[in-house]
Amino acid sequence: MGSPEEPREARIRLPQLKLDELLEELQARLDAARGTRDRVHSLLEAVLSVGRELELEQVLHGIVEAAAVLVDAEYAALGVIGPDGKWLSAFHTVGVTEEQIAGIGPYPQGYGILGELIRRPEPLRLVKISEHPASYGFPPNHPPMNTFLGVPIRVRDQIYGNLYLTEKRGGAQFDDEDESVLSTLAVAAGVAIDNARLYEESRLRERWLRANAEITHNLMSGVSRTEILALIAERAGEITGSALTAVALPMEDTGSLAVEIAVGLDAEAHQGLVLSMDRSLMGLAFSGAAPVTSADVSHDGRISLDPPRFGGLGPAVAMPIGTSATGARGVVLLARETGRQPFSATETETLRAFAAQAAIAMELAQRRTDAEQIAVLQDRDRIARDLHDLAIQRLFATGMTLQSTSRFIDHPEAAERVVRAVDDLDETIKIIRSTIFGLRSREGTGGDGLRARAVRVVGKAAPVLGFAPSVRMEGLVETRVPREIADHLIAVLSEALTNIARHAHAGRADVSLTAGAHRICLTVTDNGVGIAADGRRSGLRNMAERAQQLGGELELSGPDGGGTTLVWWVPVPTE
């Protein structure tokens, strides 16, 4: 039999064991409470850190980093949903190295699990990604991922994007608490993103306002039109991050646009180009007095891609300079590189406001120029009137006096000198009358300029050719070329296009007209069969004679790709 003390010792040990269990449970709960406190503290720190930033890119990157830390995930990403609401337009990652990204390839667009959150914007937790029906698989070189937690980010009741977390560290699974923490962070992220976008929009408007002020100041200071157009192109390109900016103005009586300024990628291919209203992005914007956008300008079926000029370019927008009420004064084209973001609605609206303000400034400058021109013409009229009413009358009276006096002069030599003086006075009167006529005449008005005449000739040749040739003009075509040279040049251009239609069997032709400091050069190129060795050359002989008559030359060559290149140039008087 046992000792009578044994039951007593057992009774003493049993409460001690229960107390230990209670203390362990209490410690566990204290640890859990402490962990919850630490996690809440971390969440508050993450919310504050995300809310401090104002630059959108920094905000987005900060959200991804905070999400990975809060739920202890190895990989994290934030996918921004594009304007169409179906695909991702941007992807920010944490945990994947630059070398891994390069090996994986392009960022995802929104297939598989990523697309599941786009279609159903609600939290999604998975133990194994590959077991979900929507799983699309991973591309080559992608790191292995199994566990998954995703939550949507809302900005003003609109789905902005999604947070994607994978591979919880330590081999654990994402739980309800992880989902709750991440959902809370997503709410704070939506507020931070909204603030960053508002800040970005306010800065963007400020930059546009400064650009408008600069343009207006320069216009009012008497800066030339070419410099103003270049300033419009440069500022618009800088603010929108465009690779190419071009400004085109309408040509009188031709129904076409001429690209006056081009800045950026392959600008030489656009400079001086004459565009139709119905087969160019700028023409569509001008004729419709409304912006026209293109997701990929290098493959847009609405516009003619001849001559090739959009290599390496993707998203584009053409904005009329002016309003629907006042009418467009021109068009500005902005194009970004392939793969860049399309122009957003906010960017288009701010660009529209900028173009409208630029049009008002151009209108004021034009009014000022017209007023100055009227003042000059009025001054010319006054000079002409004074010459006619005062100088000519006095010279005429002097001549009459000398003529009547000559009959009283007996000396033959003196009489002859008086007669010569009368003749000189008569010639002087004729010169003054010619000067008066020149002061009161105005040449080059309407559609009689060389630029407009050349475009009309090309337009008339298009039905005969079966296609519309491209036209490019550079330099002071209107002011540097005298009328006589312009007449010869138009005749040569017409003959060259006629020869292409009759003999070349071409499918394309390019016309280039360049006015330099010392000469005017016409270049006509086609991709036809070339000039036959035994063909008739009367037309070419006539063009060569016209050039020789003016001190110039006609040059013919056959490019490597086939066809013919005709270069006709003549010198122009220097200023």
Side-chain angles (χ1 to χ4, degrees):
M1 294 183 62
S3 171
E5 296 295 329
E6 290 180 359
R8 180 179 177 83
E9 291 178 2
R11 287 195 299 269
I12 292 173
R13 284 198 300 270
L14 184 60
Q16 182 67 39
L17 291 173
K18 290 184 178 179
L19 181 60
D20 290 341
E21 291 176 359
L22 289 174
L23 287 173
E24 289 176 1
E25 182 179 350
L26 179 59
Q27 184 64 44
R29 294 198 178 191
L30 286 173
D31 291 342
R34 189 179 297 109
T36 302
R37 182 201 63 186
D38 294 341
R39 198 162 196 186
V40 170
H41 180 72
S42 299
L43 177 60
L44 291 175
E45 282 290 332
V47 170
L48 289 174
S49 66
V50 166
R52 289 192 194 103
E53 298 292 344
L54 286 175
E55 296 289 345
L56 183 57
E57 291 298 314
Q58 295 179 5
V59 168
L60 297 178
H61 190 71
I63 292 170
V64 180
E65 288 184 330
V69 172
L70 284 174
V71 299
D72 201 20
E74 186 174 353
Y75 305 106
L78 192 159
V80 180
I81 300 175
D84 57 5
K86 298 180 180 179
W87 307 105
L88 298 177
S89 62
F91 204 70
H92 303 265
T93 64
V94 167
V96 184
T97 65
E98 293 296 331
E99 292 77 11
Q100 288 177 311
I101 292 173
I104 294 170
Y107 281 120
Q109 294 182 326
Y111 296 100
I113 298 299
L114 304 188
E116 184 72 12
L117 252 72
I118 296 175
R119 292 185 294 272
R120 296 181 179 85
E122 54 189 33
L124 177 64
R125 256 190 301 147
L126 301 174
V127 175
K128 196 172 183 60
I129 295 175
S130 59
E131 294 178 354
H132 192 279
S135 178
Y136 194 76
F138 294 110
N141 304 315
H142 196 285
M145 295 181 182
N146 292 300
T147 56
F148 176 86
L149 174 60
V151 296
I153 297 176
R154 287 178 170 83
V155 177
R156 297 191 180 188
D157 297 327
Q158 297 292 325
I159 301 299
Y160 176 82
N162 296 303
L163 273 173
Y164 308 109
L165 285 302
T166 61
E167 292 301 288
K168 189 174 178 69
R169 297 181 188 277
Q173 300 293 325
F174 294 110
D175 54 23
D176 291 340
E177 189 174 336
D178 292 327
E179 183 179 318
S180 177
V181 168
L182 199 61
S183 297
T184 304
L185 177 65
V187 174
V191 176
I193 290 170
D194 192 33
N195 289 336
R197 290 201 305 186
L198 291 174
Y199 175 71
E200 191 176 70
E201 289 174 8
S202 67
R203 289 186 62 191
L204 184 63
R205 289 192 177 92
E206 182 183 355
R207 294 184 67 186
W208 283 120
L209 288 173
R210 285 203 302 268
N212 269 318
E214 183 181 5
I215 291 168
T216 302
H217 173 75
N218 280 276
L219 278 169
M220 296 299 102
S221 301
V223 176
S224 68
R225 186 187 71 168
T226 300
E227 291 176 299
I228 290 301
L229 294 179
L231 184 60
I232 291 174
E234 289 172 3
R235 294 296 175 267
E238 289 171 2
I239 295 173
T240 60
S242 299
L244 171 73
T245 310
V247 179
L249 300 181
M251 299 175 62
E252 294 182 4
D253 302 329
T254 63
S256 303
L257 293 171
V259 179
E260 299 285 341
I261 294 294
V263 179
L265 182 65
D266 205 12
E268 297 80 8
H270 297 262
Q271 185 72 44
L273 200 62
V274 177
L275 305 172
S276 67
M277 292 294 183
D278 57 348
R279 293 291 293 162
S280 67
L281 209 64
M282 300 178 87
L284 294 172
F286 183 86
S287 57
V292 178
T293 59
S294 175
D296 186 358
V297 71
S298 60
H299 298 89
D300 196 320
R302 296 171 298 172
I303 64 178
S304 172
L305 300 179
D306 285 329
R309 58 193 185 279
F310 294 118
L313 297 175
V317 59
M319 180 67 65
I321 301 175
T323 62
S324 56
T326 60
R329 300 184 64 86
V331 186
V332 58
L333 171 72
L334 301 168
R336 289 172 174 159
E337 293 179 338
T338 302
R340 293 284 306 281
Q341 291 296 315
F343 289 87
S344 65
T346 300
E347 288 178 312
T348 303
E349 284 305 311
T350 51
L351 179 60
R352 186 201 296 268
F354 168 75
Q357 291 295 325
I360 293 173
M362 291 172 67
E363 178 69 22
L364 292 174
Q366 184 63 48
R367 296 293 177 87
R368 186 198 64 192
T369 302
D370 291 343
E372 292 175 351
Q373 189 171 13
I374 290 173
V376 170
L377 293 175
Q378 289 175 341
D379 202 35
R380 287 184 176 184
D381 286 341
R382 180 188 60 78
I383 294 171
R385 188 170 54 251
D386 289 347
L387 286 173
H388 182 273
D389 296 343
L390 300 175
I392 289 181
Q393 300 304 326
R394 295 194 65 174
L395 289 171
F396 185 74
T398 302
M400 293 290 291
T401 302
L402 288 174
Q403 194 173 25
S404 62
T405 304
S406 64
R407 71 185 66 172
F408 300 107
I409 301 175
D410 295 330
H411 195 283
E413 186 176 349
E416 183 181 353
R417 289 188 177 185
V418 171
V419 170
R420 283 205 305 270
V422 172
D423 291 340
D424 289 343
L425 287 172
D426 186 49
E427 189 64 29
T428 301
I429 291 173
K430 291 179 181 179
I431 293 173
I432 293 176
R433 288 186 185 278
S434 176
T435 302
I436 292 172
F437 179 77
L439 286 171
R440 288 178 171 171
S441 65
R442 294 178 65 189
E443 297 182 359
T445 60
D448 294 332
L450 177 56
R451 185 188 295 262
R453 293 174 67 189
V455 172
R456 281 199 296 269
V457 168
V458 173
K460 290 178 181 179
V464 181
L465 290 166
F467 57 87
S470 71
V471 183
R472 188 190 315 279
M473 301 186 193
E474 298 183 36
L476 302 176
V477 175
E478 300 288 351
T479 58
R480 294 285 295 119
V481 185
R483 182 79 183 198
E484 179 188 3
I485 294 178
D487 291 341
H488 283 287
L489 188 147
I490 291 298
V492 171
L493 174 59
S494 179
E495 179 67 23
L497 294 175
T498 300
N499 287 344
I500 293 173
R502 289 178 178 174
H503 311 297
H505 304 290
R508 174 180 168 184
D510 301 305
V511 176
S512 175
L513 186 59
T514 305
H518 304 289
R519 72 178 191 174
I520 178 78
C521 182
L522 170 68
T523 304
V524 182
T525 304
D526 68 75
N527 63 347
V529 298
I531 300 175
D534 56 349
R536 295 181 57 189
R537 295 179 177 266
S538 56
L540 295 175
R541 184 169 56 253
N542 291 338
M543 288 188 274
E545 289 175 355
R546 288 180 182 274
Q548 292 167 3
Q549 179 182 341
L550 298 171
E553 190 176 345
L554 172 70
E555 301 171 1
L556 294 172
S557 62
D560 295 337
T564 304
T565 297
L566 179 149
V567 178
W568 187 91
W569 66 268
V570 297
V572 294
T574 56
E575 297 180 343

